[in-house]
Amino acid sequence: MKKQDAPQLHRGLEQRHITLMSLGAAIGVGLFLGSASAIKLAGPGILLAYALGGAAMFFIMRALGEMAIHNPVAGSFSRYARDYIKPVFGYLTGWNYWFLWVITCMAEITAVGIYMEFWFPDMPRWIWALAALLVMTAVNLIAVKLYGELEFWFALIKIVTIILMIGLGIAMIVFGLGNGGEPLGISNLWQHGGIFANGFYGLLMAMPMVLFAYLGIEMIGVTAGEVQNPKKSLSKAIDTVFWRILLFYVGALFVIMSIYPWDEIGKAGSPFVMTFDKIGIPYAAGIINFVVITAALSSCNSGIFSTARMLFNLGQQGEAPSRFSRVTKKGVPGLATLASAGALLIGVALNYLVPEKVFTWLTSIATFGAIWTWSIILIAQLRFRRGLRSAERNRLSYKMPWYPYSSYLTLGFLAGVIGLMAFNPDTRVSLIVGPLWYGILVAFYYGKGLHKRKRSAHETYSLSSLETAGYPENKDANNVLEKQTSF
């Protein structure tokens, strides 16, 4: 088979897939399992923390969208870091994102084990973690469209659940549903020590957990190489996903803390279970347990997808074994998927060795990796915009608002959260593991002479080349783009 006829990544993802995928990746254990810990630190003031984190995510997503719509390629921000900053940053970002999602998937399969204890309390967690890993790996190996369909329904289940809970909660607050017709009101937000019950310090300490909850929103960029009509689909998905996630997080927690005193949340099980149980819905605990399992599987599903695409891109660039850049006849990077799943076996082992500590360790390390990724997106966007000629800047169809001040302000916010992680023993471990991982990567990069290799002529794409190809108005244009982004 000739090289140009080799199987390539398929553009099998539709707009509805990528919109629900990004929601599915970001709405996971950070909301269902991590929000109780964040509320314990900040009290009702956690709503402000989620709003601040959401504002930062808005600018990060707009920065990513500006580059992804101009240049929709597999590898996304790893490729942008390579092209617009330096090759070493592309290498570090690609491997960091792979590491980040491997760690996150370990946390997700750990959560599956924790949730399954509800029905099978005597069965070890590691068995359920392994079962979840095997099923999600199989899904990712079949075809990208099947992955997109499964993720669509996974995400839809938890989104409908959250909307239902918000709607019923508002009925309890305003009309007294489940409370004998007596409205509950929202006084619980300030009657138990005030809105900032633990002071500004508590709000700051909650920020790392808040940012962990938003991890995954950047996955829209990773889909750029496999989405149909990238210009239209990416812009719409980026504009809508941010507002939906902010609504789900802030809306759900506003309802929960209005119904229950914040200092009681987490003591009697999941706040979602408590809310449905108060309304009188039978089998509420079992229903919500099923939903949070699908939430964890959804995030794990997205994580295996994104890690495989990062390994695929690193293989293309010669920064990982070239066999990772091979795809199956169905357009799936099979070896890259299996390699990522193999690394996740470490998470299964941790669930066997240290089941009580593994979740906290993994979430803090994942947050550190996410902040690196988001920072690189912002820095790459600054360099990207500076490198454009005046005419090209004017032709950009999707722009970062308030550039460059928004980029610098968001970078400062992320740096501040990294500093806060040093003050909490539960997150301090990430400040050891993260830099150690980057040190190993840098030593390998220069030790193996990767910095001396010549950059491929295919690595940089211009807006004019896409316009010449007629991108992305018709099917032929998508075929041209696919050839440009496949090696």
Side-chain angles (χ1 to χ4, degrees):
M1 182 179 290
K2 295 180 181 180
K3 186 176 180 181
Q4 61 266 30
D5 296 327
Q8 302 171 349
L9 289 177
H10 289 182
R11 292 191 180 275
L13 296 178
E14 301 172 14
Q15 183 173 308
R16 67 184 180 91
H17 291 145
I18 65 167
T19 299
L20 269 293
M21 278 168 53
S22 193
L23 284 169
I27 302 175
V29 295
L31 177 60
F32 291 104
L33 199 60
S35 58
S37 299
I39 291 170
K40 183 179 178 180
L41 287 168
I46 196 65
L47 295 175
L48 176 60
Y50 275 102
L52 289 173
M57 291 304 110
F58 171 76
F59 291 119
I60 291 165
M61 291 302 295
R62 291 288 301 204
L64 177 58
E66 180 175 292
M67 295 182 291
I69 290 169
H70 174 88
N71 182 14
V73 293
S76 187
F77 32 83
S78 171
R79 185 71 65 89
Y80 306 143
R82 181 178 293 109
D83 289 347
Y84 307 134
I85 308 176
K86 283 186 178 181
V88 66
F89 285 98
Y91 163 83
L92 287 173
T93 301
W95 277 110
N96 170 76
Y97 201 66
W98 177 83
F99 180 70
L100 152 67
W101 267 106
V102 164
I103 295 296
T104 302
C105 285
M106 289 181 189
E108 303 293 351
I109 62 175
T110 297
V112 171
I114 293 171
Y115 298 143
M116 290 302 292
E117 286 181 345
F118 176 83
W119 290 305
F120 304 95
D122 298 326
M123 190 170 290
R125 289 180 188 174
W126 70 267
I127 293 177
W128 296 113
L130 179 60
L133 172 60
L134 293 175
V135 171
M136 292 301 98
T137 301
V139 167
N140 273 269
L141 284 172
I142 297 173
V144 67
K145 189 162 187 177
L146 176 63
Y147 157 79
E149 284 296 330
L150 186 63
E151 185 57 27
F152 177 85
W153 292 107
F154 269 163
L156 197 59
I157 288 171
K158 56 189 172 185
I159 289 167
V160 168
T161 301
I162 294 172
I163 292 174
L164 185 61
M165 195 214 70
I166 292 174
L168 291 173
I170 291 174
M172 294 171 69
I173 293 167
V174 178
F175 304 111
L177 177 67
N179 196 44
E182 184 178 347
L184 292 174
I186 60 172
S187 59
N188 275 328
L189 292 176
W190 59 79
Q191 282 187 345
H192 303 274
I195 293 178
F196 299 99
N198 291 330
F200 193 59
Y201 179 80
L203 181 71
L204 292 176
M205 289 300 100
M207 286 307 305
M209 181 58 74
V210 167
L211 289 193
F212 173 74
Y214 283 112
L215 193 159
I217 192 173
E218 74 292 326
M219 250 208 69
I220 286 178
V222 181
T223 68
E226 293 166 270
V227 65
Q228 298 171 3
N229 200 343
K231 183 176 181 180
K232 178 182 177 181
S233 297
L234 290 175
S235 60
K236 187 170 183 179
I238 288 170
D239 286 339
T240 57
V241 163
F242 162 76
W243 296 109
R244 291 174 186 176
I245 289 178
L246 191 61
L247 170 67
F248 293 148
Y249 274 96
V250 176
L253 296 180
F254 173 83
V255 166
I256 288 168
M257 289 187 293
S258 296
I259 295 172
Y260 295 98
W262 70 269
D263 50 357
E264 293 182 12
I265 293 173
K267 293 181 180 179
S270 165
F272 288 83
V273 174
M274 293 166 64
T275 302
F276 278 90
D277 192 51
K278 187 175 180 67
I279 298 168
I281 295 178
Y283 310 111
I287 294 170
I288 297 300
N289 203 61
F290 169 76
V291 171
V292 295
I293 287 173
T294 63
L297 290 174
S298 167
S299 190
C300 181
N301 194 30
S302 296
I304 294 175
F305 175 90
S306 58
T307 52
R309 271 61 187 176
M310 276 299 166
L311 274 187
F312 171 82
N313 182 252
L314 288 164
Q316 286 184 328
Q317 308 308 321
E319 296 167 347
S322 60
R323 57 182 176 271
F324 289 147
S325 64
R326 299 173 190 165
V327 298
T328 67
K329 292 181 180 179
K330 294 183 178 293
V332 173
L335 288 174
T337 301
L338 289 173
S340 296
L344 285 172
L345 289 173
I346 296 172
V348 177
L350 289 173
N351 274 278
Y352 176 77
L353 298 171
V354 284
E356 300 305 320
K357 296 182 179 180
V358 60
F359 185 77
T360 301
W361 289 355
L362 294 174
T363 54
S364 63
I365 295 169
T367 303
F368 185 91
I371 290 175
W372 168 281
T373 299
W374 296 331
S375 299
I376 287 295
I377 289 171
L378 292 164
I379 295 169
Q381 185 269 336
L382 286 166
R383 298 290 297 270
F384 160 74
R385 182 74 77 91
R386 288 176 193 162
L388 294 177
R389 295 186 296 271
S390 178
E392 288 178 315
R393 289 177 195 157
N394 294 332
R395 285 157 55 193
L396 284 175
S397 60
Y398 194 84
K399 296 182 180 180
M400 174 76 157
W402 303 311
Y403 165 86
Y405 307 107
S406 52
S407 298
Y408 287 124
L409 188 62
T410 308
L411 280 169
F413 172 79
L414 295 177
V417 174
I418 288 288
L420 292 172
M421 295 174 79
F423 292 92
N424 189 330
D426 291 337
T427 56
R428 201 174 295 149
V429 63
S430 64
L431 301 184
I432 299 171
V433 175
L436 179 62
W437 169 244
Y438 299 139
I440 293 171
L441 289 176
V442 170
F444 186 86
Y445 184 80
Y446 288 102
K448 289 291 185 179
L450 295 180
H451 62 294
K452 296 179 181 178
R453 64 181 179 82
K454 294 182 179 179
R455 297 179 65 188
S456 167
H458 293 282
E459 282 188 33
T460 304
Y461 311 96
S462 67
L463 182 62
S464 60
S465 67
L466 296 179
E467 290 176 340
T468 301
Y471 163 78
E473 300 301 330
N474 53 53
K475 184 177 178 181
D476 291 337
N478 281 335
N479 292 336
V480 171
L481 185 59
E482 225 175 79
K483 291 178 181 178
Q484 289 176 326
T485 56
S486 301
F487 287 68

